[in-house]
Every structure is written in structure tokens, then in C-alpha cells.
Amino acid sequence: MRTPIIAGNWKMNKGLSESVAFAHDLAPRLAPFTTVERVVCPTFLALAAVADELKGSNIGVGAQDAHWEAQGAYTSEVSAAMLKGIAQYVIIGHSEVRAYLNETDERVNKKIKAALAYGLKPIVAVGETLEQNEAGQTASWVSGQVRGALDGIDAANMQNIVMAYEPIWAIGTGRNASSEVANHVIGGTIRATLADLYGDSVAQAVRIQYGGSVKPDNMAEFMAQPDIDGALVGGAALKLDDFAKLVEIAAQQKGG
Ligand code: PGA
């Protein structure tokens, strides 16, 4: 049985005081749903303060990226080493980082290894563009991203990794993948690739989220799918009622 995990990616939204206030209000709203793992990913600026605010709440905190070097002359970067003790999770390979900051599979791989080395759990995002989707290249592209991300990572580490399928055309567009299609990619491509790399029992234990225009209206459909273990949420994670509702739905449908 895979514990569902809902992560809110706040992206470049909410400054320091707004983040802390939001976390303060969110904690009691999410408190009843202990069968679901709940994570919020604020900006680096607010990470430590939000982590402080959420202490004792059983809500996890994640960073939105992490550099692979522990320290050094890397202006603007934050290392996995620095996040240790503050965050428990880190999103790696988000399509916005891939698109706007020239993220590559090779860098994603190095970041995952660094995150694991410092005890962080990577949430590894993969997904195809609209053009690739329409050209029928989703399976080969996504499988290639999974293999590239996990190159050299052993089976024992897979229990600390969460995968997220985020079709790029569905992120922030209001146009979500259908739950059947998402389940098909998650089960038939991502989990199948994990099975090929690590064997079936490891693949069955890895949690794989769907992300891309998840909202209270469509959450139940996604959570009804057998291979979808939660959601990576952008827009709807910025609203208290919406995010609480997503967690509630996950708890109802997947919380055991
Ligand atoms: P969205 O973003 O929910 O706003 O589509 C998802 C994400 O980028 O993780």
C-alpha cells in the first residue's frame, strides 16, 4: 500500500510573511488527514520560516530545487547540503526549471544524487510537451527522462524518491490530462520503466504523482486511478480551501 502524497508547489508566489501566514492557517485545516502525506514547497526565501511555523504539524516542507555541489561559487544557488535539517523534500526537474533555466537530465541526475546524500527526498518531475504528445512520443520521451534522472541510482534509494508525471501542456493551463491517460502514462510508462530498471517489487512501492491543473473539481477522478498516488499541485495549492479540499479527497479515496 503506497501512502498518498500531495505536494503544493508555490513556485514564485507568496513572500515571506504571506507564506508564514498561509502555513499558519493551513496546518489546522490539514491536521485531520493523517493518512495522506502533505508537503508544501515555498520559495527559498520563506522555506526556513515556513518549516518553523509547521513544526509539530506533521506537514512536510520541500524546496523547489537544489544544487548538487555542497557549497562554492555558484551565485544564486542553494545546495542540498544547506537544505538538510530544514526541508524534507525537494522538487527536481520541474518543467519550468527545464524550460527557463536550461535544466538537463544530467543535472537532474546530479541533483537527485546530492539530495539523497543529504537525506532529502526528491520529487522528480517528468513530462512531455504538447508537440511530443501530439506526435505520439510521450512514452519514449518520459521513459528517457526517467532513465536519465535515475542513472546510477540504486534500488535501495528508490524508497526515498517520489516521481511526478507532469505533462507540460497541462501545467498552469487549466487543461489537465484525462485521468485515464495520466494513469496510463504513470503505470504503463513510468512504473514500467522503474520495473525494468529495478524489478517489479521496487516499482510497485514507488509513489508517482500526477501534476498539471489539478483542482478540487478533478481530484477525485485522478485519485480513483490505481497507479496515481497523489498530486503535485501549483495554482490550487495557493488557495487554502482548494488545497485542503485536495488533501481531503485524497484521504477519502486513497487514505485507507
Ligand atoms: P498547476 O502546476 O497545478 O498550476 O498546473 C503544477 C506544477 O507545476 O507542479
Side-chain angles (χ1 to χ4, degrees), residues 216-232:
D217 281 357
N218 58 28
M219 183 66 170
E221 291 167 42
F222 289 112
M223 292 303 99
Q225 296 291 338
D227 269 305
I228 304 180
D229 304 314
L232 181 54

PDB file of all heavy atoms in Angstrom, residues 216-232:
ATOM      1  N   PRO A 216      -9.864  20.945  -7.083  1.00  0.00           N
ATOM      2  CA  PRO A 216     -10.868  20.164  -6.354  1.00  0.00           C
ATOM      3  C   PRO A 216     -11.859  19.462  -7.289  1.00  0.00           C
ATOM      4  O   PRO A 216     -12.287  18.341  -7.005  1.00  0.00           O
ATOM      5  CB  PRO A 216     -11.562  21.214  -5.472  1.00  0.00           C
ATOM      6  CG  PRO A 216     -10.498  22.230  -5.222  1.00  0.00           C
ATOM      7  CD  PRO A 216      -9.701  22.305  -6.493  1.00  0.00           C
ATOM      8  N   ASP A 217     -12.187  20.086  -8.406  1.00  0.00           N
ATOM      9  CA  ASP A 217     -13.149  19.514  -9.359  1.00  0.00           C
ATOM     10  C   ASP A 217     -12.698  18.218 -10.017  1.00  0.00           C
ATOM     11  O   ASP A 217     -13.521  17.402 -10.412  1.00  0.00           O
ATOM     12  CB  ASP A 217     -13.364  20.486 -10.527  1.00  0.00           C
ATOM     13  CG  ASP A 217     -14.289  21.589 -10.138  1.00  0.00           C
ATOM     14  OD1 ASP A 217     -14.775  21.538  -8.997  1.00  0.00           O
ATOM     15  OD2 ASP A 217     -14.517  22.485 -10.978  1.00  0.00           O
ATOM     16  N   ASN A 218     -11.396  18.093 -10.272  1.00  0.00           N
ATOM     17  CA  ASN A 218     -10.937  16.888 -10.978  1.00  0.00           C
ATOM     18  C   ASN A 218     -10.131  15.934 -10.100  1.00  0.00           C
ATOM     19  O   ASN A 218      -9.725  14.866 -10.555  1.00  0.00           O
ATOM     20  CB  ASN A 218     -10.145  17.241 -12.252  1.00  0.00           C
ATOM     21  CG  ASN A 218      -8.929  18.128 -11.972  1.00  0.00           C
ATOM     22  OD1 ASN A 218      -8.361  18.093 -10.891  1.00  0.00           O
ATOM     23  ND2 ASN A 218      -8.526  18.918 -12.952  1.00  0.00           N
ATOM     24  N   MET A 219      -9.899  16.308  -8.855  1.00  0.00           N
ATOM     25  CA  MET A 219      -9.035  15.497  -7.982  1.00  0.00           C
ATOM     26  C   MET A 219      -9.580  14.080  -7.791  1.00  0.00           C
ATOM     27  O   MET A 219      -8.809  13.109  -7.805  1.00  0.00           O
ATOM     28  CB  MET A 219      -8.903  16.200  -6.626  1.00  0.00           C
ATOM     29  CG  MET A 219      -7.983  15.509  -5.653  1.00  0.00           C
ATOM     30  SD  MET A 219      -6.255  15.532  -6.221  1.00  0.00           S
ATOM     31  CE  MET A 219      -5.448  14.916  -4.723  1.00  0.00           C
ATOM     32  N   ALA A 220     -10.868  13.964  -7.616  1.00  0.00           N
ATOM     33  CA  ALA A 220     -11.441  12.636  -7.336  1.00  0.00           C
ATOM     34  C   ALA A 220     -11.185  11.666  -8.483  1.00  0.00           C
ATOM     35  O   ALA A 220     -10.876  10.493  -8.261  1.00  0.00           O
ATOM     36  CB  ALA A 220     -12.934  12.755  -7.061  1.00  0.00           C
ATOM     37  N   GLU A 221     -11.266  12.185  -9.724  1.00  0.00           N
ATOM     38  CA  GLU A 221     -11.003  11.314 -10.883  1.00  0.00           C
ATOM     39  C   GLU A 221      -9.573  10.789 -10.857  1.00  0.00           C
ATOM     40  O   GLU A 221      -9.328   9.626 -11.154  1.00  0.00           O
ATOM     41  CB  GLU A 221     -11.160  12.101 -12.187  1.00  0.00           C
ATOM     42  CG  GLU A 221     -12.554  12.508 -12.530  1.00  0.00           C
ATOM     43  CD  GLU A 221     -12.511  13.533 -13.662  1.00  0.00           C
ATOM     44  OE1 GLU A 221     -11.730  13.350 -14.607  1.00  0.00           O
ATOM     45  OE2 GLU A 221     -13.250  14.539 -13.555  1.00  0.00           O
ATOM     46  N   PHE A 222      -8.635  11.680 -10.546  1.00  0.00           N
ATOM     47  CA  PHE A 222      -7.233  11.234 -10.513  1.00  0.00           C
ATOM     48  C   PHE A 222      -7.011  10.231  -9.391  1.00  0.00           C
ATOM     49  O   PHE A 222      -6.343   9.210  -9.582  1.00  0.00           O
ATOM     50  CB  PHE A 222      -6.278  12.430 -10.366  1.00  0.00           C
ATOM     51  CG  PHE A 222      -6.196  13.270 -11.612  1.00  0.00           C
ATOM     52  CD1 PHE A 222      -6.699  14.560 -11.645  1.00  0.00           C
ATOM     53  CD2 PHE A 222      -5.624  12.756 -12.762  1.00  0.00           C
ATOM     54  CE1 PHE A 222      -6.634  15.320 -12.796  1.00  0.00           C
ATOM     55  CE2 PHE A 222      -5.551  13.508 -13.925  1.00  0.00           C
ATOM     56  CZ  PHE A 222      -6.069  14.801 -13.944  1.00  0.00           C
ATOM     57  N   MET A 223      -7.594  10.524  -8.240  1.00  0.00           N
ATOM     58  CA  MET A 223      -7.353   9.642  -7.090  1.00  0.00           C
ATOM     59  C   MET A 223      -8.049   8.290  -7.248  1.00  0.00           C
ATOM     60  O   MET A 223      -7.707   7.334  -6.570  1.00  0.00           O
ATOM     61  CB  MET A 223      -7.801  10.331  -5.785  1.00  0.00           C
ATOM     62  CG  MET A 223      -6.953  11.511  -5.391  1.00  0.00           C
ATOM     63  SD  MET A 223      -5.186  11.153  -5.200  1.00  0.00           S
ATOM     64  CE  MET A 223      -4.564  11.728  -6.770  1.00  0.00           C
ATOM     65  N   ALA A 224      -9.000   8.217  -8.160  1.00  0.00           N
ATOM     66  CA  ALA A 224      -9.676   6.937  -8.408  1.00  0.00           C
ATOM     67  C   ALA A 224      -8.804   5.994  -9.242  1.00  0.00           C
ATOM     68  O   ALA A 224      -9.109   4.809  -9.368  1.00  0.00           O
ATOM     69  CB  ALA A 224     -11.007   7.182  -9.115  1.00  0.00           C
ATOM     70  N   GLN A 225      -7.738   6.520  -9.808  1.00  0.00           N
ATOM     71  CA  GLN A 225      -6.893   5.692 -10.681  1.00  0.00           C
ATOM     72  C   GLN A 225      -5.874   4.902  -9.858  1.00  0.00           C
ATOM     73  O   GLN A 225      -5.253   5.452  -8.947  1.00  0.00           O
ATOM     74  CB  GLN A 225      -6.159   6.589 -11.690  1.00  0.00           C
ATOM     75  CG  GLN A 225      -7.073   7.314 -12.657  1.00  0.00           C
ATOM     76  CD  GLN A 225      -7.745   6.364 -13.648  1.00  0.00           C
ATOM     77  OE1 GLN A 225      -7.272   5.256 -13.896  1.00  0.00           O
ATOM     78  NE2 GLN A 225      -8.876   6.800 -14.198  1.00  0.00           N
ATOM     79  N   PRO A 226      -5.682   3.650 -10.201  1.00  0.00           N
ATOM     80  CA  PRO A 226      -4.856   2.778  -9.347  1.00  0.00           C
ATOM     81  C   PRO A 226      -3.372   3.135  -9.299  1.00  0.00           C
ATOM     82  O   PRO A 226      -2.722   2.899  -8.279  1.00  0.00           O
ATOM     83  CB  PRO A 226      -5.036   1.388  -9.978  1.00  0.00           C
ATOM     84  CG  PRO A 226      -5.513   1.637 -11.376  1.00  0.00           C
ATOM     85  CD  PRO A 226      -6.299   2.921 -11.314  1.00  0.00           C
ATOM     86  N   ASP A 227      -2.837   3.709 -10.368  1.00  0.00           N
ATOM     87  CA  ASP A 227      -1.392   3.969 -10.371  1.00  0.00           C
ATOM     88  C   ASP A 227      -1.032   5.375  -9.919  1.00  0.00           C
ATOM     89  O   ASP A 227       0.152   5.703  -9.808  1.00  0.00           O
ATOM     90  CB  ASP A 227      -0.805   3.697 -11.770  1.00  0.00           C
ATOM     91  CG  ASP A 227      -0.338   2.255 -11.895  1.00  0.00           C
ATOM     92  OD1 ASP A 227       0.479   1.836 -11.047  1.00  0.00           O
ATOM     93  OD2 ASP A 227      -0.827   1.550 -12.783  1.00  0.00           O
ATOM     94  N   ILE A 228      -2.018   6.232  -9.689  1.00  0.00           N
ATOM     95  CA  ILE A 228      -1.740   7.625  -9.301  1.00  0.00           C
ATOM     96  C   ILE A 228      -1.781   7.740  -7.778  1.00  0.00           C
ATOM     97  O   ILE A 228      -2.804   7.480  -7.157  1.00  0.00           O
ATOM     98  CB  ILE A 228      -2.749   8.597  -9.957  1.00  0.00           C
ATOM     99  CG1 ILE A 228      -2.724   8.433 -11.485  1.00  0.00           C
ATOM    100  CG2 ILE A 228      -2.431  10.028  -9.550  1.00  0.00           C
ATOM    101  CD1 ILE A 228      -3.672   9.348 -12.238  1.00  0.00           C
ATOM    102  N   ASP A 229      -0.654   8.130  -7.204  1.00  0.00           N
ATOM    103  CA  ASP A 229      -0.504   8.083  -5.747  1.00  0.00           C
ATOM    104  C   ASP A 229      -0.564   9.452  -5.089  1.00  0.00           C
ATOM    105  O   ASP A 229      -0.101   9.609  -3.950  1.00  0.00           O
ATOM    106  CB  ASP A 229       0.832   7.418  -5.404  1.00  0.00           C
ATOM    107  CG  ASP A 229       0.945   6.036  -6.023  1.00  0.00           C
ATOM    108  OD1 ASP A 229      -0.028   5.271  -5.931  1.00  0.00           O
ATOM    109  OD2 ASP A 229       1.994   5.738  -6.628  1.00  0.00           O
ATOM    110  N   GLY A 230      -1.071  10.426  -5.803  1.00  0.00           N
ATOM    111  CA  GLY A 230      -1.141  11.752  -5.217  1.00  0.00           C
ATOM    112  C   GLY A 230      -0.982  12.792  -6.300  1.00  0.00           C
ATOM    113  O   GLY A 230      -1.069  12.479  -7.491  1.00  0.00           O
ATOM    114  N   ALA A 231      -0.721  14.022  -5.879  1.00  0.00           N
ATOM    115  CA  ALA A 231      -0.670  15.109  -6.854  1.00  0.00           C
ATOM    116  C   ALA A 231       0.410  16.111  -6.495  1.00  0.00           C
ATOM    117  O   ALA A 231       0.705  16.344  -5.314  1.00  0.00           O
ATOM    118  CB  ALA A 231      -2.028  15.806  -6.921  1.00  0.00           C
ATOM    119  N   LEU A 232       1.009  16.677  -7.529  1.00  0.00           N
ATOM    120  CA  LEU A 232       1.894  17.832  -7.395  1.00  0.00           C
ATOM    121  C   LEU A 232       1.096  19.012  -7.941  1.00  0.00           C
ATOM    122  O   LEU A 232       0.699  19.014  -9.110  1.00  0.00           O
ATOM    123  CB  LEU A 232       3.183  17.608  -8.188  1.00  0.00           C
ATOM    124  CG  LEU A 232       4.253  18.706  -8.139  1.00  0.00           C
ATOM    125  CD1 LEU A 232       4.627  19.071  -6.709  1.00  0.00           C
ATOM    126  CD2 LEU A 232       5.506  18.278  -8.896  1.00  0.00           C
TER     127      LEU A 232
END
